[in-house]
Amino acid sequence: MRDEIESHGSALLLEWYDRHAREMPWRVGPTERKAGALPDPYAVWLSEVMLQQTTVAAVREKFLAFTRRWSDVAALAAADDADVMAQWAGLGYYARARNLLKCARVVAETGGFPDTEAGLLTLPGIGPYTAAAIAAIAFDRPATVVDGNVERVMARVFDIRTPLPAAKPELTELAGRLTPQTRPGDHAQAVMDLGATICTPTSPACGICPLMHLCTARAAGIAAELPRKTPKAPKPIRLGVAYVVRREDGAMLLETRPPRGLLGGMLSWPGSDWGDSPTPAPPLNANWTPVDGEVRHTFTHFHLRLALQVTTVPHDAIATRGDFVDKADFRPASLPTVMRKVWNLASSALPPL
């Protein structure tokens, strides 16, 4: 059966993709591609970086906003760091935004994106998956592109019961066997589309899958059970305190977090450390009012719970940390998600001016 999958699987996927490819603002569809249209490497790179750990639905509008503001890699390379970080707000994993700028500046200096996996891997913030995706989709190189959707499709089609992450090398090898020399970019997108729309994590639509007759897990009646995963250890909980300071004229006290670490380079409310027993660290002397409730947010490796303290201070108040942002320039949408949650709770507790 494996020989049959390797012989016919890609052709069946491409035939299906030609009819059912999802329309995305960064994608050149199969009809246009066959007519000679080439994807913009900048658009492919930007979308792939944005899509890491994020859904297509969340990325679509962000991608459009980025490309309206910075239409090519040279424009992005010349952008102010703070503007890019603010535009990125809401996508999470903010190290990606810092690496995005580093990469754009290297590419702008060298005159364009490398067209091979090896060349792409030399760029800041580009790892094996992203290098393979750009090489295949933007330059039609026969690179093996493996994301979560691809792993799921491979595990089911080839009936791989080894749990993830231990199964990753085998699933990558199988995906490589299926990758064709012709139209590898469309093939990569076909497998990802199949995983996103038909071979879904739960309740896969096997009855309309183009690989239904080749899928060995379906034949065994266990497609929905795969891929198996090794149970993850529970995430620890960290505690902290966020301080929301409003001046009498409506200005808000914000600080820029250190360039490295969580939310690096992003605007933030002044706060304590995050841990089991956070040390209070108010940014100025004031009459603080505790806010009922708490902000909860989950990062990759831990759950965060923030207590809130709010205060309103005179115009001449001096803070030991951060800077006051004028009322007209304060934009909650430019804050990272957890800090927007802080504002949503704190704003209801602040008295009217």
Side-chain angles (χ1 to χ4, degrees):
M1 179 60 80
R2 285 197 174 190
D3 290 342
E4 188 176 357
I5 296 170
E6 293 172 23
S7 299
H8 304 294
S10 182
L12 291 170
L13 279 167
L14 286 169
E15 182 181 335
W16 172 82
Y17 180 73
D18 287 344
R19 298 194 307 272
H20 300 289
R22 292 181 292 173
E23 292 185 6
M24 299 179 184
W26 51 83
R27 177 180 284 183
V28 172
T31 301
E32 294 80 7
R33 194 151 182 160
K34 287 179 181 179
L38 297 175
D40 178 3
Y42 170 67
V44 175
W45 163 71
L46 180 60
S47 67
E48 288 298 336
V49 174
M50 286 185 167
L51 285 164
Q52 294 169 18
Q53 306 293 329
T54 315
T55 65
V56 169
V59 164
R60 190 182 298 269
E61 291 304 316
K62 282 290 186 181
F63 174 87
L64 292 171
F66 256 81
T67 51
R68 281 193 297 265
R69 190 165 182 180
W70 303 294
S71 60
D72 56 32
V73 72
L76 182 59
D80 182 79
D81 288 40
D83 290 342
V84 174
M85 298 302 287
Q87 190 69 60
W88 189 272
L91 284 175
Y93 301 90
Y94 293 97
R96 292 181 298 162
R98 298 194 296 273
N99 284 328
L100 193 80
L101 273 169
K102 292 178 185 177
C103 184
R105 288 163 182 163
V106 171
V107 171
E109 287 176 4
T110 56
F113 285 92
D115 63 358
T116 65
E117 281 185 87
L120 290 160
L121 280 169
T122 67
L123 297 175
I126 293 186
Y129 164 77
T130 306
I134 298 170
I137 297 169
F139 300 109
D140 230 18
R141 300 285 189 183
T144 303
V145 183
V146 182
D147 67 354
N149 284 316
V150 176
E151 288 177 343
R152 185 167 57 257
V153 171
M154 295 302 116
R156 290 171 176 174
V157 170
F158 290 98
D159 192 6
I160 304 302
R161 304 185 189 189
T162 305
L164 287 166
K168 282 179 178 287
E170 184 177 9
L171 297 176
T172 299
E173 180 189 357
L174 293 169
R177 292 183 191 176
L178 214 57
T179 300
Q181 294 296 308
T182 58
R183 298 182 66 191
D186 282 349
H187 168 85
Q189 293 174 109
V191 184
M192 290 188 282
D193 277 13
L194 186 74
T197 62
I198 289 180
C199 196
T200 51
T202 58
S203 303
C206 297
I208 58 172
C209 177
L211 302 181
M212 61 182 293
H213 297 300
L214 298 178
C215 183
T216 50
R218 175 180 177 272
I222 61 167
E225 300 174 21
L226 301 180
R228 293 173 178 162
K229 296 181 180 180
T230 301
K232 294 181 180 179
K235 293 181 180 181
I237 296 173
R238 297 182 187 174
L239 307 176
V241 183
Y243 300 95
V244 176
V245 182
R246 184 180 64 188
R247 210 164 57 189
E248 289 176 329
D249 61 357
M252 307 300 301
L253 182 65
L254 293 169
E255 63 180 5
T256 301
R257 292 180 65 86
R260 295 186 178 276
L262 279 173
L263 309 181
M266 300 295 293
L267 282 176
S268 169
W269 304 106
S272 70
D273 58 322
W274 297 345
D276 293 333
S277 301
T279 302
L284 46 69
N285 292 322
N287 293 319
W288 293 96
T289 301
V291 177
D292 290 337
E294 65 181 5
V295 166
R296 296 189 177 193
H297 190 76
T298 296
F299 291 98
T300 305
H301 301 298
F302 66 93
H303 301 293
L304 177 65
R305 295 182 180 177
L306 290 177
L308 270 60
Q309 300 269 345
V310 301
T311 190
T312 300
V313 298
H315 192 274
D316 60 355
I318 298 175
T320 58
R321 295 161 50 194
D323 297 289
F324 282 99
V325 176
D326 289 343
K327 181 179 180 181
D329 297 326
F330 173 58
R331 296 179 177 82
S334 295
L335 298 173
T337 302
V338 62
M339 297 303 162
R340 288 205 308 274
K341 291 179 180 179
V342 170
W343 172 245
N344 290 340
L345 182 57
S347 59
S348 64
L350 288 167
L353 287 174

